[in-house]
Amino acid sequence: MKITIGHLYPDLLNLYGDRGNIQCMMKRCQWRGIEAETLEFKLEDEVDFSKLDIVLLGGGSDREQMIVCKRLQQIQKNFKDYVEDGGVVIAVCGGYQLLGDYYQTDEGRMEGLHLVKLHTEQKPGRLISNIVLKSDLFDMPVVGFENHGGRTDIGDNQPFGKVLYGSGNDGESGYEGIVYKHVIGTYLHGPLLPKNPQVCDWLIKKALERKYGKDIELQPLDDQEEKEANAYIVNRFVK
């Protein structure tokens, strides 16, 4: 079996160590004997979604997001078709905001990809904190770090998780991120996946099942160190 990961615009959207998420997916595949490769795309590159099994859209500053969003409009239809066909996406922070209809900033409105029904508006003050979630998708809590000025409204969509500690989408709703089909959008970085092996394996499993058209049971790995790192954050902040 083989997985191909597409990393969109890492020269602009890599503010929060998103390459760590790539490395985590690659290693967890390789440890299981699953062949894995990563294709990095620059702004001028054509993106053939038919050749991708997982897409990472990372975080960047508002300025970098503005640059990227113009290019994303040109590939919006193909990206939308990929998502609706069950394509796997992990979108972090700025990438999460770009999944939606728009991101309203003090400098103007960024047109989103319209892949998921959500929108984001910049508000005074930043939401900066360690964060812990309880997600219905996983047995383990999901942990990370958030640092965002945007407040995201996901409407009636499924959240990534309920906030046990931290601010989440808007600091008020008590929820963080979004899950749509096989898309996870989240403000959690640090990077996200090394401390949350179940999230990483969910992405890999969904990608393999879509590609090969059958149920996939991933070989268990020794995640003792990852579980200890996760538990440290949970025990420190959730009483």
Side-chain angles (χ1 to χ4, degrees):
M1 292 188 293
K2 179 180 179 180
I3 275 184
T4 300
I5 303 165
H7 192 177
L8 300 189
Y9 320 128
D11 52 333
L12 294 169
L13 299 180
N14 191 39
L15 188 61
Y16 299 116
D18 294 309
R19 280 191 176 88
N21 289 322
I22 294 285
Q23 292 169 354
C24 186
M25 288 188 283
M26 292 283 289
K27 293 303 294 185
R28 292 185 72 81
C29 284
Q30 292 165 1
W31 288 335
R32 295 179 165 107
I34 301 168
E35 186 179 352
E37 67 170 344
T38 297
L39 303 179
E40 293 190 353
F41 296 93
K42 296 185 177 180
L43 279 181
E44 63 273 14
D45 294 336
E46 294 295 323
V47 181
D48 185 350
F49 287 95
S50 69
K51 296 181 179 178
L52 304 179
D53 303 304
I54 300 175
V55 172
L56 172 66
L57 190 61
S61 68
D62 288 352
R63 174 182 174 276
E64 291 163 333
Q65 283 181 249
M66 190 72 76
I67 295 171
V68 167
C69 77
K70 295 177 181 178
R71 173 57 177 154
L72 287 174
Q73 299 310 311
Q74 299 172 5
I75 65 171
Q76 190 274 342
K77 182 182 183 306
N78 291 338
F79 205 163
K80 178 73 170 177
D81 290 345
Y82 170 80
V83 167
E84 292 302 319
D85 189 46
V88 177
V89 179
I90 177 68
V92 180
C93 204
Y96 168 34
Q97 294 169 340
L98 290 172
L99 292 179
D101 295 335
Y102 65 85
Y103 176 26
Q104 182 68 47
T105 76
D106 293 340
E107 304 300 321
R109 177 176 292 205
M110 296 184 206
E111 185 73 12
L113 280 162
H114 300 274
L115 301 184
V116 184
K117 194 65 180 176
L118 62 85
H119 64 271
T120 303
E121 297 187 3
Q122 186 175 352
K123 300 291 185 181
R126 298 189 67 82
L127 304 179
I128 305 174
S129 177
N130 286 284
I131 181 167
V132 181
L133 310 178
K134 175 66 178 76
S135 175
D136 292 339
L137 296 177
F138 313 109
D139 297 330
M140 292 171 58
V142 179
V143 303
F145 189 81
E146 60 180 334
N147 181 356
H148 54 102
R151 310 301 197 263
T152 298
D153 183 342
I154 66 169
D156 295 330
N157 284 297
Q158 177 185 349
F160 184 34
K162 179 177 176 58
V163 177
L164 303 181
Y165 181 89
S167 297
N169 284 329
D170 54 13
E172 298 177 357
S173 69
Y175 293 96
E176 200 283 327
I178 193 169
V179 178
Y180 175 75
K181 293 183 180 288
H182 297 152
V183 176
I184 291 178
T186 179
Y187 279 115
L188 274 65
H189 52 79
L192 169 70
L193 299 183
K195 289 177 286 189
N196 299 283
Q198 290 186 347
V199 180
C200 190
D201 285 354
W202 186 90
L203 299 168
I204 295 169
K205 176 179 169 67
K206 295 300 182 184
L208 288 171
E209 290 180 340
R210 174 177 180 263
K211 184 170 187 176
Y212 293 101
K214 61 180 181 179
D215 291 338
I216 299 292
E217 192 69 32
L218 293 178
Q219 173 190 340
L221 298 176
D222 180 4
D223 289 331
Q224 186 60 37
E225 292 184 355
E226 289 86 346
K227 290 178 179 178
E228 289 177 358
N230 181 289
Y232 175 81
I233 298 297
V234 175
N235 293 335
R236 181 177 180 187
F237 294 106
V238 179
K239 306 302 183 184

